[in-house]
Amino acid sequence: MARRKHKRSGNSKKDLLFHLLLLLWPVLQFAIFYIYVNINSFILAFNFGEVPDGGAFYYFKQVFAYDKISNSYPYFKSMLISVILWLASTAISVPAALLFGYFISRKFLGSKFFRFILFLPSILSATVMVVIITKFNDLDLYYLLAESTGSTDVFTMFNVYDLKTYLYIVLFDCFIGFGTTTLIYSNRMSEISPEIFEAAQLDGFNHFREFFNIVLPHTFPTLSTFLITGLASVFVNQYNLFTFFGASLGVMEPGPIGYVIYNQVQGSAVLGIYDSPQFHQMAALGLVCTLFLVPVVLTARHLLERFGPKEK
């Protein structure tokens, strides 16, 4: 009995060591890829004498400052734009990806062809796709169409003086990531046991009930992961606006917060100035966005886990 007890004690120590090593890995990743990488940003967010009489939290105060010229809080307006763009993109891409994933996983007529077609846009990077679309938009086809129809209103897809351009930006964002998410959903749906679908058909399930009662609950963990990661990056995504329009958005200014941060930082970086007020201001803005998102993401994850559809 003593030997068995000693053996179990040894196994317990090994199990504890194994669990500690598993926990050490994500902690190490967080320490390196967040704390270490962003330590300079944490320091830049505070004012240590660059602005006289500004105080240590000078740049944080600027984030919450009211702009009398635009009659708004510019940074909060950008944050609202980011949230609206994410909601619009999610509302379009998620249902479409789930439906196409279901279509492919159930091997309906033409599913293999759609799987091949959906994968093609993922081969090219978003920047390459932006260049292709921009060059196509610069062609004289629109003007030839205007001459042939006699219309003076020339349609252009990316006109920075038209707020409707945001619609095209959202559709482009959905298009870029649509193939990858659809294939991931379809692969997850393909793992559902065929016996479940056979039993559902015997019970008289149509495709509508099959999707909502079987497929969606089994796919929901993958779906919730995409939703949480997308929500966590809502203030980082700049929707390729800088690639499309550069530093000027025209009437669409100020743009989403990801674009604002990128645009401000790259302007000083091009000049080789890495300790400019823009760097300090954007560092403080990044911390404010992080502090705002952390409880939102944790709450959203809790709600999805508690009220989301469960496998039966």
Side-chain angles (χ1 to χ4, degrees):
M1 294 295 293
R3 289 183 179 179
R4 291 182 180 178
K5 185 176 181 180
H6 177 72
K7 188 176 181 180
R8 286 199 299 270
S9 177
N11 289 336
S12 299
K13 291 180 179 179
K14 291 180 180 179
D15 291 341
L16 178 61
L17 179 61
F18 178 73
H19 293 154
L20 289 176
L21 290 175
L22 287 179
L23 291 175
L24 180 63
W25 179 248
V27 172
L28 185 62
Q29 282 189 315
F30 177 78
I32 294 176
F33 296 106
Y34 186 79
I35 301 297
Y36 175 75
V37 171
N38 294 294
I39 189 65
N40 192 43
S41 297
F42 298 152
I43 298 174
L44 287 174
F46 296 91
N47 173 40
F48 296 112
E50 291 85 351
V51 180
D53 301 324
F57 295 93
Y58 171 80
Y59 294 105
F60 289 95
K61 296 176 183 178
Q62 295 301 109
V63 172
F64 299 94
Y66 182 81
D67 185 12
K68 295 182 179 180
I69 298 178
S70 61
N71 196 28
S72 64
Y73 295 91
Y75 294 127
F76 287 100
K77 183 178 180 180
S78 294
M79 292 170 69
L80 179 61
I81 293 174
S82 294
V83 173
I84 293 174
L85 291 178
W86 178 77
L87 290 174
S89 177
T90 302
I92 296 172
S93 61
V94 169
L98 287 172
L99 290 174
F100 273 91
Y102 172 66
F103 177 84
I104 294 173
S105 66
R106 296 293 287 137
K107 299 179 181 179
F108 294 137
L109 180 64
S111 60
K112 292 183 179 180
F113 173 75
F114 276 105
R115 178 186 287 270
F116 172 74
I117 292 298
L118 288 173
F119 186 73
L120 286 180
S122 303
I123 298 176
L124 300 176
S125 67
T127 303
V128 175
M129 293 298 297
V130 168
V131 172
I132 294 174
I133 293 176
T134 303
K135 291 300 181 182
F136 177 79
N137 191 62
D138 290 340
L139 295 177
D140 293 333
L141 296 177
Y142 302 111
Y143 298 97
L144 292 175
L145 180 62
E147 291 179 0
S148 62
T149 59
S151 174
T152 58
D153 185 14
V154 180
F155 170 81
T156 177
M157 190 177 300
F158 297 107
N159 183 359
V160 294
Y161 299 103
D162 192 347
L163 289 174
K164 290 183 293 185
T165 301
Y166 269 130
L167 174 62
Y168 302 115
I169 294 298
V170 169
L171 293 177
F172 177 80
D173 183 72
C174 296
F175 174 76
I176 287 298
F178 183 73
T180 303
T181 54
T182 301
L183 292 177
I184 292 176
Y185 288 143
S186 66
N187 291 335
R188 177 66 186 92
M189 295 173 186
S190 299
E191 296 176 358
I192 302 175
S193 175
E195 286 77 8
I196 298 178
F197 292 109
E198 293 175 2
Q201 290 175 0
L202 292 175
D203 290 337
F205 275 39
N206 55 24
H207 292 306
F208 182 84
R209 291 186 62 189
E210 189 178 87
F211 176 80
F212 284 98
N213 292 358
I214 299 175
V215 174
L216 188 58
H218 281 80
T219 315
F220 190 77
T222 305
L223 170 61
S224 62
T225 300
F226 274 110
L227 291 176
I228 292 301
T229 54
L231 181 60
S233 61
V234 65
F235 292 149
V236 178
N237 194 348
Q238 54 109 356
Y239 295 88
N240 299 287
L241 285 173
F242 192 85
T243 311
F244 274 118
F245 306 116
S248 177
L249 287 181
V251 74
M252 294 194 302
E253 290 182 351
I257 202 69
Y259 171 83
V260 172
I261 294 176
Y262 183 85
N263 193 22
Q264 291 291 327
V265 170
Q266 72 84 30
S268 298
V270 168
L271 300 176
I273 304 173
Y274 298 101
D275 195 29
S276 65
Q278 285 79 11
F279 269 71
H280 290 272
Q281 188 63 70
M282 294 304 104
L285 178 59
L287 281 180
V288 171
C289 291
T290 302
L291 294 175
F292 176 80
L293 266 184
V294 166
V296 173
V297 171
L298 293 177
T299 303
R301 187 186 67 174
H302 172 73
L303 294 176
L304 289 172
E305 292 177 351
R306 182 172 182 179
F307 299 105
K310 305 291 191 302
E311 299 180 21
K312 297 180 180 179

